[in-house]
């Protein structure tokens, strides 16, 4: 008996949201009899499952082809689901397939199909602080002891501290470094504190009039590795060179603003103003006078009577963190279907009524953002509720504003991370409502994802988690709409007259292909706990945790370890590959899932972030760990095994190598500071890749 199976359109099963005007059909034929071959086929496509509204009937076509059959029906309409089936005759037998479907997207590549939707984001100046080398921090502070301002921070183990000692009328500069990349199985990781510049500090002139019972104005300006410090407008340090540590060879970058913060360990300071700005551009990244407890920077302490109080704590922020946008709207009628079309300049997660819409990762993927960006289509029918709804999105750097390849500076493509969305709601009475991104949306940069970069990792402060359903959240204010790109940005030569494309995604998104659970845990050196997942993989982790509010941990990843179990990361070069999580303090536990980065690793190390972690504390803190293997290609199409276990292991390594390097594009390596597509690698491996996995739609992209 003959049977038809594996029906695909454009190489995908039941694709949702395609802009292809002439889709391509394929299927497979099986039979319990030998020698049964397809003799002819007939394809039918319609707007309904009963096939009364036919848009194409191929008629009986004498052919054994079952691949690459082009659609020849009437013009496809936008945002429409089409059902299709195929009937085959083979050796006197007739087989009919089950009904499959495909659904069109917006069927256009310019702004005209987005119903007025705009790119939206932060109203503030934006620049990736991982690439900022000229900047200034201004603070009005009152303290009887010391005021500590932190800059050039990757985490609480790697930063520069500018400490203004009011008691002794001094300014001292320190570098804190965990020396992770200098560690080895012989020396271990040796955290160090180095005094930068004058060992005894820089005296504050009497003319500055510094007083412990009043506010003093601190001004810190950085120009590359040089620093200028003023107190009450009197110069204390005048462009002193080499105060900021330079970038050592093949180590994570140091000589940039990165994260900033306040450190008041064992003492208290009160701030009346805090501002972070670019000195060359004049752009103000953050500014707060703490007149409201909803101020952006108030996460650094507690606001009392219009002032920021920082007491016995150490907190970090990113001056240009992730973009968080939302729209509250009402839906009163019964919904027949709802589709969300979304994309970003960056990588995004999107939520409807507090539930994450995309099960996929790293959308919209990787492309040449100067020419085109892909959008994704989501079926959100079941997520809408009668009455008030809220649509929200978080946008992080991705390859758009993050590091790409070997670049010393990020922002190869742009500076502003933005989001675009069009929610189309079709009601049962036939009416249609559109909810689109525009100036009516709200924005905040005080969300949980403070920093995220493919190479550097993700820094998440769960205390700032957004409850999308809280309509009175005072953190949100008006967003800003940005111009739609009209032409591609010229690269090699003149490209005038060619329109920028926002087109439907081709091929699959990155998803969790499988989950690995770590086995043994090794502590070496002290306070560094290394988990072994037993397999070199590419992806992220999901941790179930429980800890005191404000406590933070640091995760580092590596492909190898020393014989004594210590993590080996020297091969990562300038990729920090580090995630940080700050606890919200939920009694029932909380989840950490870095979703705006990825890592190539077999081993994951957990340490305290700025503190030492004991095994007992770790056991009470970590309730569960999973390794999520991420890839864009999940379907295996071929396998190989033989009597030689070494060759079988080689084949397994090939499959894992393909799985790990099939993420957004065919990459050369997914762990160090490359993570780029290389056509040389791809063309050598493509034939082997096609034997192992179904790469057709991925390669089309």
């Amino acid at each position: 008996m003959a049977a038809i199976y594996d029906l695909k359109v454009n190489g995908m099963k039941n694709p949702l949201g395609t802009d292809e005007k002439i889709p391509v059909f394929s299927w497979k034929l099986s039979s319990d009899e030998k020698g049964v071959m397809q003799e002819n086929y007939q394809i039918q496509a319609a707007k309904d499952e009963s096939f009364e509204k036919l848009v194409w009937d191929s008629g009986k076509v004498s052919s054994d082809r079952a691949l690459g059959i082009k659609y020849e029906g009437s013009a496809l309409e936008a945002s429409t689901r089409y059902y299709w089936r195929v009937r085959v005759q083979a050796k006197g037998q007739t087989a009919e397939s089950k009904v499959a479907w495909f659904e069109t997207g917006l069927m256009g590549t310019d702004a005209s199909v987005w119903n007025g939707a705009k790119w939206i984001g932060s109203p503030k100046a934006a620049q990736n602080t991982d690439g900022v080398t000229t900047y200034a921090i201004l603070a009005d502070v009152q303290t009887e002891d010391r005021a500590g301002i932190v800059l050039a921070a990757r985490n609480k183990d790697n930063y520069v501290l500018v400490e203004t000692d009011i008691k002794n009328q001094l300014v001292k500069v320190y570098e804190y470094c965990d020396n992770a990349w200098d560690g080895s199985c012989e020396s271990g990781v040796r955290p160090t504190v180095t005094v930068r510049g004058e060992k005894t500090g820089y005296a504050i002139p009497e003319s500055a009039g510094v007083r412990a019972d009043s506010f003093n104005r601190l001004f810190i300006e950085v120009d590359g590795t040089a620093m200028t410090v003023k107190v009450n407008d009197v110069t204390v340090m005048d462009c002193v060179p080499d105060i900021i540590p330079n970038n050592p060879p093949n180590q994570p970058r140091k000589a940039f603003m990165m994260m900033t913060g306040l450190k008041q360990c064992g003492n208290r300071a009160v701030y009346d103003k805090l501002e972070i700005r670019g000195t060359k551009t004049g752009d103000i990244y953050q500014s707060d006078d703490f007149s409201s407890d909803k101020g952006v920077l108030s996460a650094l302490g507690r606001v009392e009577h219009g002032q920021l109080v920082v007491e016995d704590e150490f907190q970090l922020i990113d001056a240009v963190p992730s973009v968080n946008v939302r729209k509250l709207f009402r839906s009163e009628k019964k919904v027949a279907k709802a589709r969300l079309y979304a994309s970003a300049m960056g990588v995004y997660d999107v939520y409807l009524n507090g539930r994450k819409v995309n099960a996929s990762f790293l959308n919209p993927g990787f492309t040449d953002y100067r020419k085109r960006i892909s959008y994704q289509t989501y079926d959100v029918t079941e997520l809408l509720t009668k009455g008030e709804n809220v649509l929200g999105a978080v946008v992080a750097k991705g390859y758009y504003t993050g590091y790409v390849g070997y670049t010393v500076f990020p922002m190869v493509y742009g500076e502003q991370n933005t989001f675009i969305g069009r929610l189309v709601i079709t009601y049962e009475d036939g009416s249609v409502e559109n909810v689109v991104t525009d100036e009516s949306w709200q924005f905040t940069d005080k969300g949980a994802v403070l920093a995220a970069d493919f190479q550097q990792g993700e820094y998440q402060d769960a205390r700032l988690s957004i409850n999308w359903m809280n309509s009175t959240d005072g953190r949100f204010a008006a967003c800003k709409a940005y111009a739609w790109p009209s032409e591609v940005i010229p690269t090699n030569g003149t490209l005038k007259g060619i329109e920028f494309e926002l087109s439907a995604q081709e091929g699959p998104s990155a998803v969790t292909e499988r989950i690995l659970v770590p086995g043994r845990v090794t502590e070496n050196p002290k306070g560094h706990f290394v988990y072994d997942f037993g397999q070199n993989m590419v992806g992220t982790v999901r941790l179930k945790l429980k800890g005191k509010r404000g406590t933070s941990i640091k995760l580092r990843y590596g492909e190898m370890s020393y014989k004594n179990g210590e993590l080996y990361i020297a091969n990562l070069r300038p990729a920090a590959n580090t995630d940080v999580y700050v606890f919200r303090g939920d009694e029932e536990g909380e989840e950490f899932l870095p979703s705006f980065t990825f890592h190539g690793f077999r081993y994951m190390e957990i340490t305290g972030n700025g503190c030492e972690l004991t095994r007992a504390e770790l056991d009470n803190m970590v309730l569960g760990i999973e390794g999520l293997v991420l890839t864009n290609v999940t379907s295996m199409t071929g396998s190989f095994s033989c009597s030689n276990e070494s060759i079988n292991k080689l084949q397994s390594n090939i499959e894992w190598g393909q799985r790990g390097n099939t993420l957004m594009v065919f990459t050369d390596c997914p762990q160090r500071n490359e993570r780029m597509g290389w056509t040389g690698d791809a063309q050598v491996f493509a034939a082997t890749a096609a034997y192992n996995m179904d790469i057709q739609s991925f390669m089309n992209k």
Side-chain angles (χ1 to χ4, degrees), residues 575-596:
N577 227 30
T578 302
D579 298 330
V580 173
Y581 183 74
V582 183
F583 284 82
R584 187 169 50 245
D586 292 353
E587 283 295 323
E588 65 276 13
E590 48 202 281
E591 180 181 281
F592 178 37
L593 173 58
S595 61
F596 296 108

Side-chain angles (χ1 to χ4, degrees), residues 142-400:
Q142 185 270 323
T143 180
E144 295 180 355
D145 195 349
R146 301 179 305 277
I149 295 180
V150 174
L151 43 88
R154 288 200 312 275
N155 46 58
K156 289 185 179 180
D157 292 314
N158 298 274
Y159 59 93
V160 171
L161 172 67
V162 180
E163 190 171 73
T164 304
D165 186 340
I166 298 298
K167 277 185 178 180
N168 299 301
Q169 304 283 289
L170 287 173
V171 172
K172 294 188 76 172
V173 181
Y174 304 88
E175 177 194 0
Y176 286 73
C177 181
D178 66 3
N179 287 310
W181 270 252
D182 295 330
S184 70
C185 57
E186 289 81 21
S187 65
V189 178
R190 299 283 183 261
T192 59
V193 181
T194 305
V195 179
R196 308 291 299 186
E198 292 293 334
K199 303 300 181 184
T200 57
Y202 296 84
I204 301 174
E206 287 187 15
S207 59
V210 172
R211 294 178 56 180
D213 60 352
S214 63
F215 282 91
N216 300 284
R217 171 153 293 193
L218 308 183
F219 176 79
I220 303 167
E221 184 177 23
V222 175
D223 186 356
T225 62
M227 181 183 292
T228 297
V229 175
K230 296 180 181 180
V231 179
N232 293 334
D233 298 324
V234 175
T235 299
V236 178
M237 300 167 54
D238 190 8
C239 201
V240 178
D242 301 322
I243 294 293
I244 300 295
N246 213 330
N247 296 315
N250 289 333
Q251 290 192 32
R253 304 158 179 91
K254 290 186 176 184
F256 300 100
M257 182 200 300
M258 295 183 282
M259 302 187 79
T260 58
L262 302 176
K263 184 177 182 179
Q264 296 295 148
C265 294
N267 55 71
R268 182 178 188 268
V270 179
Y271 289 81
D272 195 54
K273 181 179 178 61
L274 191 58
E275 182 177 283
I276 306 170
R277 64 173 183 253
T279 50
K280 284 189 176 179
T281 62
D283 292 332
I284 296 177
Y285 304 127
Q286 296 288 351
S287 182
D288 205 335
D289 61 5
F290 309 106
S291 56
S292 166
D293 62 0
K294 303 299 182 183
V296 170
L297 293 173
S298 60
L300 293 171
R302 65 183 186 275
V303 174
E304 295 179 356
H305 311 297
Q307 295 172 337
L308 177 71
V309 179
V310 184
E311 187 171 9
D312 197 23
E313 61 180 314
F314 176 18
Q315 302 295 345
L316 295 176
I317 64 160
D318 193 310
V320 186
S322 63
V323 169
N324 306 271
V325 291
R326 74 172 184 181
K327 172 71 175 181
L328 282 71
F329 64 96
R330 297 189 66 82
S331 177
E332 302 293 353
K333 295 184 287 187
K334 196 166 184 180
V335 176
K337 73 171 186 176
R339 297 291 183 267
L340 173 64
Y341 306 96
S343 189
M345 295 182 184
V347 287
Y348 73 90
D349 282 340
V350 62
Y351 299 83
L352 182 55
N353 293 329
R355 293 174 60 185
K356 188 178 175 184
V357 170
N358 56 306
S360 51
F361 291 78
L362 310 177
N363 292 314
F366 186 29
T367 181
D368 187 340
Y369 301 96
R370 297 166 296 192
K371 297 179 67 176
R372 78 172 58 79
I373 299 177
S374 297
Y375 72 84
Q376 287 69 49
T377 304
Y378 305 101
D379 183 348
V380 295
T381 308
E382 302 302 320
L383 299 182
L384 282 167
T385 60
K386 188 173 182 180
E388 188 168 279
N389 294 266
V390 58
L391 180 60
V394 182
V395 184
K397 296 182 180 75
Y399 279 135
Y400 185 74

Side-chain angles (χ1 to χ4, degrees), residues 21-25 45 55-56 69-76 82 102:
K21 295 178 180 179
I22 305 177
V24 175
F25 299 86
V55 294
W56 182 39
I69 310 300
K70 294 183 178 180
Y71 175 78
E72 295 179 353
S74 56
L76 299 177
Y82 293 91
F102 67 95

Side-chain angles (χ1 to χ4, degrees), residues 22 44 67 95 162 197 235 245 306 318 321 331 349 352 356 442 489 504 507 551 564 575 599 614 632 634:
I22 305 177
Q44 290 182 321
L67 290 169
V162 180
T235 299
D318 193 310
S331 177
D349 282 340
L352 182 55
K356 188 178 175 184
Q442 297 175 314
I489 298 173
T551 301
N564 66 1
H599 307 286
T614 67
N632 285 67
T634 60

Side-chain angles (χ1 to χ4, degrees), residues 116-126 283-284 323-326 345 395 415-421 436-445 476-484:
K118 301 177 181 178
W119 296 92
I120 61 170
S122 171
K124 304 174 184 178
D283 292 332
I284 296 177
V323 169
N324 306 271
V325 291
R326 74 172 184 181
M345 295 182 184
V395 184
E415 294 184 359
Q416 287 280 358
N417 289 123
T418 56
F419 177 74
I420 190 169
V436 300
T437 47
D438 57 21
E439 293 90 344
S440 68
W441 283 54
Q442 297 175 314
F443 158 83
T444 183
D445 57 3
F476 282 91
C479 73
K480 180 178 178 179
Y482 290 86
W484 187 287

Side-chain angles (χ1 to χ4, degrees), residues 648-676:
N648 290 339
K649 183 62 177 176
L650 172 63
Q651 174 63 18
S652 173
N653 291 346
I654 291 169
E655 292 174 3
W656 275 102
Q658 179 174 349
R659 188 174 290 118
N661 283 291
T662 311
L663 189 59
M664 296 186 282
V665 292
F666 268 145
T667 55
D668 67 314
C669 59
Q671 79 293 62
R672 60 185 185 184
N673 66 323
E674 291 184 67
R675 309 186 187 204
M676 295 290 293

